[in-house]
mmCIF file with all atom_site columns, all heavy atoms in Angstrom:
data_model
loop_
_atom_site.group_PDB
_atom_site.id
_atom_site.type_symbol
_atom_site.label_atom_id
_atom_site.label_alt_id
_atom_site.label_comp_id
_atom_site.label_asym_id
_atom_site.label_entity_id
_atom_site.label_seq_id
_atom_site.pdbx_PDB_ins_code
_atom_site.Cartn_x
_atom_site.Cartn_y
_atom_site.Cartn_z
_atom_site.occupancy
_atom_site.B_iso_or_equiv
_atom_site.pdbx_formal_charge
_atom_site.auth_seq_id
_atom_site.auth_comp_id
_atom_site.auth_asym_id
_atom_site.auth_atom_id
_atom_site.pdbx_PDB_model_num
ATOM 1   N N   . LYS A 1 2   ? -15.909 20.675 4.377  1.00 0.00 ? 549 LYS A N   1
ATOM 2   C CA  . LYS A 1 2   ? -16.732 19.736 5.107  1.00 0.00 ? 549 LYS A CA  1
ATOM 3   C C   . LYS A 1 2   ? -16.935 18.429 4.437  1.00 0.00 ? 549 LYS A C   1
ATOM 4   O O   . LYS A 1 2   ? -16.984 17.353 5.040  1.00 0.00 ? 549 LYS A O   1
ATOM 5   C CB  . LYS A 1 2   ? -18.043 20.385 5.546  1.00 0.00 ? 549 LYS A CB  1
ATOM 6   C CG  . LYS A 1 2   ? -17.996 21.486 6.569  1.00 0.00 ? 549 LYS A CG  1
ATOM 7   C CD  . LYS A 1 2   ? -19.288 21.911 7.087  1.00 0.00 ? 549 LYS A CD  1
ATOM 8   C CE  . LYS A 1 2   ? -19.184 22.928 8.249  1.00 0.00 ? 549 LYS A CE  1
ATOM 9   N NZ  . LYS A 1 2   ? -20.486 23.322 8.723  1.00 0.00 ? 549 LYS A NZ  1
ATOM 10  N N   . SER A 1 11  ? -14.218 7.008  6.041  1.00 0.00 ? 558 SER A N   1
ATOM 11  C CA  . SER A 1 11  ? -13.187 5.998  5.648  1.00 0.00 ? 558 SER A CA  1
ATOM 12  C C   . SER A 1 11  ? -12.629 5.324  6.952  1.00 0.00 ? 558 SER A C   1
ATOM 13  O O   . SER A 1 11  ? -11.880 4.370  6.882  1.00 0.00 ? 558 SER A O   1
ATOM 14  C CB  . SER A 1 11  ? -12.021 6.662  4.932  1.00 0.00 ? 558 SER A CB  1
ATOM 15  O OG  . SER A 1 11  ? -11.316 7.534  5.775  1.00 0.00 ? 558 SER A OG  1
ATOM 16  N N   . SER A 1 13  ? -13.398 3.368  10.532 1.00 0.00 ? 560 SER A N   1
ATOM 17  C CA  . SER A 1 13  ? -14.438 2.619  11.104 1.00 0.00 ? 560 SER A CA  1
ATOM 18  C C   . SER A 1 13  ? -14.842 3.106  12.485 1.00 0.00 ? 560 SER A C   1
ATOM 19  O O   . SER A 1 13  ? -14.041 3.755  13.187 1.00 0.00 ? 560 SER A O   1
ATOM 20  C CB  . SER A 1 13  ? -14.015 1.123  11.301 1.00 0.00 ? 560 SER A CB  1
ATOM 21  O OG  . SER A 1 13  ? -12.932 1.051  12.312 1.00 0.00 ? 560 SER A OG  1
ATOM 22  N N   . LEU A 1 36  ? -3.549  14.600 23.192 1.00 0.00 ? 583 LEU A N   1
ATOM 23  C CA  . LEU A 1 36  ? -3.630  15.754 22.248 1.00 0.00 ? 583 LEU A CA  1
ATOM 24  C C   . LEU A 1 36  ? -3.162  15.325 20.823 1.00 0.00 ? 583 LEU A C   1
ATOM 25  O O   . LEU A 1 36  ? -3.759  15.906 19.888 1.00 0.00 ? 583 LEU A O   1
ATOM 26  C CB  . LEU A 1 36  ? -2.665  16.848 22.757 1.00 0.00 ? 583 LEU A CB  1
ATOM 27  C CG  . LEU A 1 36  ? -3.160  17.479 24.116 1.00 0.00 ? 583 LEU A CG  1
ATOM 28  C CD1 . LEU A 1 36  ? -2.163  18.398 24.686 1.00 0.00 ? 583 LEU A CD1 1
ATOM 29  C CD2 . LEU A 1 36  ? -4.476  18.224 23.862 1.00 0.00 ? 583 LEU A CD2 1
ATOM 30  N N   . LEU A 1 38  ? -3.890  12.417 19.406 1.00 0.00 ? 585 LEU A N   1
ATOM 31  C CA  . LEU A 1 38  ? -5.053  11.815 18.876 1.00 0.00 ? 585 LEU A CA  1
ATOM 32  C C   . LEU A 1 38  ? -6.162  12.836 18.550 1.00 0.00 ? 585 LEU A C   1
ATOM 33  O O   . LEU A 1 38  ? -6.840  12.783 17.520 1.00 0.00 ? 585 LEU A O   1
ATOM 34  C CB  . LEU A 1 38  ? -5.659  10.770 19.946 1.00 0.00 ? 585 LEU A CB  1
ATOM 35  C CG  . LEU A 1 38  ? -4.812  9.468  20.103 1.00 0.00 ? 585 LEU A CG  1
ATOM 36  C CD1 . LEU A 1 38  ? -5.303  8.765  21.346 1.00 0.00 ? 585 LEU A CD1 1
ATOM 37  C CD2 . LEU A 1 38  ? -4.953  8.620  18.846 1.00 0.00 ? 585 LEU A CD2 1
ATOM 38  N N   . GLN A 1 40  ? -5.743  15.954 17.724 1.00 0.00 ? 587 GLN A N   1
ATOM 39  C CA  . GLN A 1 40  ? -5.371  16.679 16.477 1.00 0.00 ? 587 GLN A CA  1
ATOM 40  C C   . GLN A 1 40  ? -5.625  15.812 15.266 1.00 0.00 ? 587 GLN A C   1
ATOM 41  O O   . GLN A 1 40  ? -5.978  16.391 14.199 1.00 0.00 ? 587 GLN A O   1
ATOM 42  C CB  . GLN A 1 40  ? -3.895  17.032 16.591 1.00 0.00 ? 587 GLN A CB  1
ATOM 43  C CG  . GLN A 1 40  ? -3.655  18.182 17.634 1.00 0.00 ? 587 GLN A CG  1
ATOM 44  C CD  . GLN A 1 40  ? -2.231  18.344 18.057 1.00 0.00 ? 587 GLN A CD  1
ATOM 45  O OE1 . GLN A 1 40  ? -1.357  17.675 17.481 1.00 0.00 ? 587 GLN A OE1 1
ATOM 46  N NE2 . GLN A 1 40  ? -1.953  19.227 18.983 1.00 0.00 ? 587 GLN A NE2 1
ATOM 47  N N   . TYR A 1 45  ? -12.286 16.893 11.306 1.00 0.00 ? 592 TYR A N   1
ATOM 48  C CA  . TYR A 1 45  ? -13.588 16.380 10.962 1.00 0.00 ? 592 TYR A CA  1
ATOM 49  C C   . TYR A 1 45  ? -14.422 15.973 12.162 1.00 0.00 ? 592 TYR A C   1
ATOM 50  O O   . TYR A 1 45  ? -15.305 15.179 12.116 1.00 0.00 ? 592 TYR A O   1
ATOM 51  C CB  . TYR A 1 45  ? -13.551 15.222 9.961  1.00 0.00 ? 592 TYR A CB  1
ATOM 52  C CG  . TYR A 1 45  ? -12.483 14.112 10.219 1.00 0.00 ? 592 TYR A CG  1
ATOM 53  C CD1 . TYR A 1 45  ? -12.845 13.002 10.867 1.00 0.00 ? 592 TYR A CD1 1
ATOM 54  C CD2 . TYR A 1 45  ? -11.217 14.302 9.714  1.00 0.00 ? 592 TYR A CD2 1
ATOM 55  C CE1 . TYR A 1 45  ? -11.894 11.949 11.143 1.00 0.00 ? 592 TYR A CE1 1
ATOM 56  C CE2 . TYR A 1 45  ? -10.264 13.301 9.891  1.00 0.00 ? 592 TYR A CE2 1
ATOM 57  C CZ  . TYR A 1 45  ? -10.557 12.109 10.601 1.00 0.00 ? 592 TYR A CZ  1
ATOM 58  O OH  . TYR A 1 45  ? -9.678  11.214 10.785 1.00 0.00 ? 592 TYR A OH  1
ATOM 59  N N   . ALA A 1 60  ? -11.739 15.427 26.544 1.00 0.00 ? 607 ALA A N   1
ATOM 60  C CA  . ALA A 1 60  ? -10.438 14.726 26.760 1.00 0.00 ? 607 ALA A CA  1
ATOM 61  C C   . ALA A 1 60  ? -9.333  15.625 26.424 1.00 0.00 ? 607 ALA A C   1
ATOM 62  O O   . ALA A 1 60  ? -8.343  15.678 27.175 1.00 0.00 ? 607 ALA A O   1
ATOM 63  C CB  . ALA A 1 60  ? -10.339 13.460 25.828 1.00 0.00 ? 607 ALA A CB  1
ATOM 64  N N   . SER A 1 84  ? -20.870 22.213 20.937 1.00 0.00 ? 631 SER A N   1
ATOM 65  C CA  . SER A 1 84  ? -21.361 20.842 21.282 1.00 0.00 ? 631 SER A CA  1
ATOM 66  C C   . SER A 1 84  ? -21.780 20.772 22.758 1.00 0.00 ? 631 SER A C   1
ATOM 67  O O   . SER A 1 84  ? -22.693 20.022 23.073 1.00 0.00 ? 631 SER A O   1
ATOM 68  C CB  . SER A 1 84  ? -20.227 19.826 21.021 1.00 0.00 ? 631 SER A CB  1
ATOM 69  O OG  . SER A 1 84  ? -19.005 20.135 21.697 1.00 0.00 ? 631 SER A OG  1
ATOM 70  N N   . GLN A 1 111 ? -10.417 33.666 42.094 1.00 0.00 ? 658 GLN A N   1
ATOM 71  C CA  . GLN A 1 111 ? -11.788 33.903 42.626 1.00 0.00 ? 658 GLN A CA  1
ATOM 72  C C   . GLN A 1 111 ? -12.795 33.337 41.684 1.00 0.00 ? 658 GLN A C   1
ATOM 73  O O   . GLN A 1 111 ? -13.764 32.746 42.118 1.00 0.00 ? 658 GLN A O   1
ATOM 74  C CB  . GLN A 1 111 ? -11.965 35.387 42.782 1.00 0.00 ? 658 GLN A CB  1
ATOM 75  C CG  . GLN A 1 111 ? -13.320 35.713 43.438 1.00 0.00 ? 658 GLN A CG  1
ATOM 76  C CD  . GLN A 1 111 ? -13.407 35.113 44.825 1.00 0.00 ? 658 GLN A CD  1
ATOM 77  O OE1 . GLN A 1 111 ? -12.645 35.301 45.740 1.00 0.00 ? 658 GLN A OE1 1
ATOM 78  N NE2 . GLN A 1 111 ? -14.471 34.222 44.938 1.00 0.00 ? 658 GLN A NE2 1
ATOM 79  N N   . GLN A 1 112 ? -12.574 33.481 40.388 1.00 0.00 ? 659 GLN A N   1
ATOM 80  C CA  . GLN A 1 112 ? -13.503 32.868 39.451 1.00 0.00 ? 659 GLN A CA  1
ATOM 81  C C   . GLN A 1 112 ? -13.457 31.365 39.486 1.00 0.00 ? 659 GLN A C   1
ATOM 82  O O   . GLN A 1 112 ? -14.500 30.661 39.283 1.00 0.00 ? 659 GLN A O   1
ATOM 83  C CB  . GLN A 1 112 ? -13.236 33.387 38.006 1.00 0.00 ? 659 GLN A CB  1
ATOM 84  C CG  . GLN A 1 112 ? -13.761 34.828 37.841 1.00 0.00 ? 659 GLN A CG  1
ATOM 85  C CD  . GLN A 1 112 ? -13.313 35.382 36.483 1.00 0.00 ? 659 GLN A CD  1
ATOM 86  O OE1 . GLN A 1 112 ? -12.148 35.587 36.291 1.00 0.00 ? 659 GLN A OE1 1
ATOM 87  N NE2 . GLN A 1 112 ? -14.264 35.718 35.599 1.00 0.00 ? 659 GLN A NE2 1
ATOM 88  N N   . LEU A 1 114 ? -12.856 29.621 42.216 1.00 0.00 ? 661 LEU A N   1
ATOM 89  C CA  . LEU A 1 114 ? -13.620 29.262 43.410 1.00 0.00 ? 661 LEU A CA  1
ATOM 90  C C   . LEU A 1 114 ? -15.104 29.338 43.139 1.00 0.00 ? 661 LEU A C   1
ATOM 91  O O   . LEU A 1 114 ? -15.889 28.490 43.555 1.00 0.00 ? 661 LEU A O   1
ATOM 92  C CB  . LEU A 1 114 ? -13.219 30.156 44.529 1.00 0.00 ? 661 LEU A CB  1
ATOM 93  C CG  . LEU A 1 114 ? -13.879 29.846 45.921 1.00 0.00 ? 661 LEU A CG  1
ATOM 94  C CD1 . LEU A 1 114 ? -13.593 28.484 46.359 1.00 0.00 ? 661 LEU A CD1 1
ATOM 95  C CD2 . LEU A 1 114 ? -13.363 30.866 46.962 1.00 0.00 ? 661 LEU A CD2 1
ATOM 96  N N   . GLN A 1 118 ? -17.904 26.328 43.262 1.00 0.00 ? 665 GLN A N   1
ATOM 97  C CA  . GLN A 1 118 ? -19.091 26.431 44.058 1.00 0.00 ? 665 GLN A CA  1
ATOM 98  C C   . GLN A 1 118 ? -20.367 26.149 43.110 1.00 0.00 ? 665 GLN A C   1
ATOM 99  O O   . GLN A 1 118 ? -21.320 25.589 43.633 1.00 0.00 ? 665 GLN A O   1
ATOM 100 C CB  . GLN A 1 118 ? -19.273 27.885 44.626 1.00 0.00 ? 665 GLN A CB  1
ATOM 101 C CG  . GLN A 1 118 ? -18.133 28.202 45.637 1.00 0.00 ? 665 GLN A CG  1
ATOM 102 C CD  . GLN A 1 118 ? -18.408 27.665 47.021 1.00 0.00 ? 665 GLN A CD  1
ATOM 103 O OE1 . GLN A 1 118 ? -19.155 26.712 47.184 1.00 0.00 ? 665 GLN A OE1 1
ATOM 104 N NE2 . GLN A 1 118 ? -17.735 28.227 48.018 1.00 0.00 ? 665 GLN A NE2 1
ATOM 105 N N   . ALA A 1 141 ? -9.207  28.294 47.198 1.00 0.00 ? 688 ALA A N   1
ATOM 106 C CA  . ALA A 1 141 ? -9.199  29.092 48.416 1.00 0.00 ? 688 ALA A CA  1
ATOM 107 C C   . ALA A 1 141 ? -7.803  29.286 48.897 1.00 0.00 ? 688 ALA A C   1
ATOM 108 O O   . ALA A 1 141 ? -7.447  30.362 49.398 1.00 0.00 ? 688 ALA A O   1
ATOM 109 C CB  . ALA A 1 141 ? -10.092 28.404 49.474 1.00 0.00 ? 688 ALA A CB  1
ATOM 110 N N   . GLU A 1 170 ? -9.158  10.578 48.667 1.00 0.00 ? 717 GLU A N   1
ATOM 111 C CA  . GLU A 1 170 ? -8.573  10.799 50.011 1.00 0.00 ? 717 GLU A CA  1
ATOM 112 C C   . GLU A 1 170 ? -7.142  11.138 49.836 1.00 0.00 ? 717 GLU A C   1
ATOM 113 O O   . GLU A 1 170 ? -6.666  11.976 50.588 1.00 0.00 ? 717 GLU A O   1
ATOM 114 C CB  . GLU A 1 170 ? -8.703  9.495  50.885 1.00 0.00 ? 717 GLU A CB  1
ATOM 115 C CG  . GLU A 1 170 ? -8.322  9.779  52.292 1.00 0.00 ? 717 GLU A CG  1
ATOM 116 C CD  . GLU A 1 170 ? -8.567  8.595  53.209 1.00 0.00 ? 717 GLU A CD  1
ATOM 117 O OE1 . GLU A 1 170 ? -9.110  7.585  52.791 1.00 0.00 ? 717 GLU A OE1 1
ATOM 118 O OE2 . GLU A 1 170 ? -8.176  8.697  54.396 1.00 0.00 ? 717 GLU A OE2 1
ATOM 119 N N   . GLY A 1 171 ? -6.443  10.550 48.892 1.00 0.00 ? 718 GLY A N   1
ATOM 120 C CA  . GLY A 1 171 ? -5.022  10.867 48.643 1.00 0.00 ? 718 GLY A CA  1
ATOM 121 C C   . GLY A 1 171 ? -4.920  12.327 48.139 1.00 0.00 ? 718 GLY A C   1
ATOM 122 O O   . GLY A 1 171 ? -4.061  13.089 48.604 1.00 0.00 ? 718 GLY A O   1
ATOM 123 N N   . MET A 1 179 ? -0.439  20.836 51.463 1.00 0.00 ? 726 MET A N   1
ATOM 124 C CA  . MET A 1 179 ? 0.052   22.038 50.835 1.00 0.00 ? 726 MET A CA  1
ATOM 125 C C   . MET A 1 179 ? -0.368  23.284 51.699 1.00 0.00 ? 726 MET A C   1
ATOM 126 O O   . MET A 1 179 ? 0.391   24.185 51.974 1.00 0.00 ? 726 MET A O   1
ATOM 127 C CB  . MET A 1 179 ? -0.610  22.238 49.467 1.00 0.00 ? 726 MET A CB  1
ATOM 128 C CG  . MET A 1 179 ? 0.081   21.425 48.425 1.00 0.00 ? 726 MET A CG  1
ATOM 129 S SD  . MET A 1 179 ? 1.778   21.970 48.035 1.00 0.00 ? 726 MET A SD  1
ATOM 130 C CE  . MET A 1 179 ? 1.445   23.673 47.518 1.00 0.00 ? 726 MET A CE  1
ATOM 131 N N   . ALA A 1 193 ? 0.421   14.773 56.308 1.00 0.00 ? 740 ALA A N   1
ATOM 132 C CA  . ALA A 1 193 ? -0.588  14.725 55.282 1.00 0.00 ? 740 ALA A CA  1
ATOM 133 C C   . ALA A 1 193 ? 0.055   14.212 53.914 1.00 0.00 ? 740 ALA A C   1
ATOM 134 O O   . ALA A 1 193 ? -0.611  13.373 53.265 1.00 0.00 ? 740 ALA A O   1
ATOM 135 C CB  . ALA A 1 193 ? -1.149  16.184 55.007 1.00 0.00 ? 740 ALA A CB  1
ATOM 136 N N   . ALA A 1 209 ? -0.146  11.790 40.071 1.00 0.00 ? 756 ALA A N   1
ATOM 137 C CA  . ALA A 1 209 ? -0.583  12.073 41.414 1.00 0.00 ? 756 ALA A CA  1
ATOM 138 C C   . ALA A 1 209 ? 0.472   11.653 42.461 1.00 0.00 ? 756 ALA A C   1
ATOM 139 O O   . ALA A 1 209 ? 0.812   12.335 43.434 1.00 0.00 ? 756 ALA A O   1
ATOM 140 C CB  . ALA A 1 209 ? -1.941  11.509 41.717 1.00 0.00 ? 756 ALA A CB  1
ATOM 141 N N   . LYS A 1 231 ? 16.967  11.942 51.858 1.00 0.00 ? 778 LYS A N   1
ATOM 142 C CA  . LYS A 1 231 ? 17.828  10.988 51.243 1.00 0.00 ? 778 LYS A CA  1
ATOM 143 C C   . LYS A 1 231 ? 17.236  9.644  51.170 1.00 0.00 ? 778 LYS A C   1
ATOM 144 O O   . LYS A 1 231 ? 17.402  8.866  50.191 1.00 0.00 ? 778 LYS A O   1
ATOM 145 C CB  . LYS A 1 231 ? 19.193  10.972 51.927 1.00 0.00 ? 778 LYS A CB  1
ATOM 146 C CG  . LYS A 1 231 ? 20.280  10.162 51.145 1.00 0.00 ? 778 LYS A CG  1
ATOM 147 C CD  . LYS A 1 231 ? 21.648  10.254 51.850 1.00 0.00 ? 778 LYS A CD  1
ATOM 148 C CE  . LYS A 1 231 ? 22.690  9.489  51.048 1.00 0.00 ? 778 LYS A CE  1
ATOM 149 N NZ  . LYS A 1 231 ? 24.005  9.615  51.767 1.00 0.00 ? 778 LYS A NZ  1
ATOM 150 N N   . ASP A 1 276 ? 13.687  29.397 34.444 1.00 0.00 ? 823 ASP A N   1
ATOM 151 C CA  . ASP A 1 276 ? 12.729  28.287 34.557 1.00 0.00 ? 823 ASP A CA  1
ATOM 152 C C   . ASP A 1 276 ? 11.592  28.531 35.498 1.00 0.00 ? 823 ASP A C   1
ATOM 153 O O   . ASP A 1 276 ? 10.466  28.264 35.305 1.00 0.00 ? 823 ASP A O   1
ATOM 154 C CB  . ASP A 1 276 ? 13.397  26.990 34.930 1.00 0.00 ? 823 ASP A CB  1
ATOM 155 C CG  . ASP A 1 276 ? 14.199  26.419 33.791 1.00 0.00 ? 823 ASP A CG  1
ATOM 156 O OD1 . ASP A 1 276 ? 13.985  26.816 32.655 1.00 0.00 ? 823 ASP A OD1 1
ATOM 157 O OD2 . ASP A 1 276 ? 15.041  25.528 34.036 1.00 0.00 ? 823 ASP A OD2 1
ATOM 158 N N   . ARG A 1 281 ? 3.784   27.752 35.293 1.00 0.00 ? 828 ARG A N   1
ATOM 159 C CA  . ARG A 1 281 ? 2.483   28.180 35.243 1.00 0.00 ? 828 ARG A CA  1
ATOM 160 C C   . ARG A 1 281 ? 1.612   27.573 36.385 1.00 0.00 ? 828 ARG A C   1
ATOM 161 O O   . ARG A 1 281 ? 0.501   28.075 36.650 1.00 0.00 ? 828 ARG A O   1
ATOM 162 C CB  . ARG A 1 281 ? 1.813   27.817 33.908 1.00 0.00 ? 828 ARG A CB  1
ATOM 163 C CG  . ARG A 1 281 ? 2.361   28.641 32.773 1.00 0.00 ? 828 ARG A CG  1
ATOM 164 C CD  . ARG A 1 281 ? 2.006   30.141 32.875 1.00 0.00 ? 828 ARG A CD  1
ATOM 165 N NE  . ARG A 1 281 ? 2.656   30.946 31.902 1.00 0.00 ? 828 ARG A NE  1
ATOM 166 C CZ  . ARG A 1 281 ? 3.781   31.563 32.053 1.00 0.00 ? 828 ARG A CZ  1
ATOM 167 N NH1 . ARG A 1 281 ? 4.505   31.430 33.177 1.00 0.00 ? 828 ARG A NH1 1
ATOM 168 N NH2 . ARG A 1 281 ? 4.284   32.326 31.065 1.00 0.00 ? 828 ARG A NH2 1
ATOM 169 N N   . VAL A 1 299 ? 16.117  36.410 46.817 1.00 0.00 ? 846 VAL A N   1
ATOM 170 C CA  . VAL A 1 299 ? 14.888  37.116 46.439 1.00 0.00 ? 846 VAL A CA  1
ATOM 171 C C   . VAL A 1 299 ? 14.608  36.895 44.984 1.00 0.00 ? 846 VAL A C   1
ATOM 172 O O   . VAL A 1 299 ? 15.373  37.309 44.135 1.00 0.00 ? 846 VAL A O   1
ATOM 173 C CB  . VAL A 1 299 ? 14.986  38.662 46.746 1.00 0.00 ? 846 VAL A CB  1
ATOM 174 C CG1 . VAL A 1 299 ? 13.685  39.318 46.326 1.00 0.00 ? 846 VAL A CG1 1
ATOM 175 C CG2 . VAL A 1 299 ? 15.250  38.913 48.250 1.00 0.00 ? 846 VAL A CG2 1
ATOM 176 N N   . TYR A 1 313 ? -11.362 37.467 34.628 1.00 0.00 ? 860 TYR A N   1
ATOM 177 C CA  . TYR A 1 313 ? -11.374 37.061 33.240 1.00 0.00 ? 860 TYR A CA  1
ATOM 178 C C   . TYR A 1 313 ? -12.670 37.462 32.579 1.00 0.00 ? 860 TYR A C   1
ATOM 179 O O   . TYR A 1 313 ? -13.724 37.298 33.173 1.00 0.00 ? 860 TYR A O   1
ATOM 180 C CB  . TYR A 1 313 ? -11.228 35.526 33.146 1.00 0.00 ? 860 TYR A CB  1
ATOM 181 C CG  . TYR A 1 313 ? -11.417 34.988 31.753 1.00 0.00 ? 860 TYR A CG  1
ATOM 182 C CD1 . TYR A 1 313 ? -10.403 34.885 30.820 1.00 0.00 ? 860 TYR A CD1 1
ATOM 183 C CD2 . TYR A 1 313 ? -12.699 34.505 31.381 1.00 0.00 ? 860 TYR A CD2 1
ATOM 184 C CE1 . TYR A 1 313 ? -10.637 34.318 29.575 1.00 0.00 ? 860 TYR A CE1 1
ATOM 185 C CE2 . TYR A 1 313 ? -12.888 33.975 30.133 1.00 0.00 ? 860 TYR A CE2 1
ATOM 186 C CZ  . TYR A 1 313 ? -11.886 33.884 29.210 1.00 0.00 ? 860 TYR A CZ  1
ATOM 187 O OH  . TYR A 1 313 ? -12.112 33.345 27.979 1.00 0.00 ? 860 TYR A OH  1
ATOM 188 N N   . ASN A 1 322 ? -22.994 30.187 32.566 1.00 0.00 ? 869 ASN A N   1
ATOM 189 C CA  . ASN A 1 322 ? -24.338 30.670 32.377 1.00 0.00 ? 869 ASN A CA  1
ATOM 190 C C   . ASN A 1 322 ? -25.300 29.694 33.029 1.00 0.00 ? 869 ASN A C   1
ATOM 191 O O   . ASN A 1 322 ? -25.207 28.482 32.862 1.00 0.00 ? 869 ASN A O   1
ATOM 192 C CB  . ASN A 1 322 ? -24.686 30.868 30.906 1.00 0.00 ? 869 ASN A CB  1
ATOM 193 C CG  . ASN A 1 322 ? -23.976 32.089 30.317 1.00 0.00 ? 869 ASN A CG  1
ATOM 194 O OD1 . ASN A 1 322 ? -23.523 32.923 31.046 1.00 0.00 ? 869 ASN A OD1 1
ATOM 195 N ND2 . ASN A 1 322 ? -23.884 32.101 29.017 1.00 0.00 ? 869 ASN A ND2 1
#
Side-chain angles (χ1 to χ4, degrees):
K549 287 189 176 181
S558 70
S560 68
L583 292 171
L585 287 168
Q587 289 163 5
Y592 44 95
S631 56
Q658 186 57 59
Q659 284 171 297
L661 183 56
Q665 296 281 18
E717 188 177 356
M726 282 294 299
K778 188 175 180 180
D823 283 345
R828 291 296 175 264
V846 179
Y860 170 88
N869 288 341

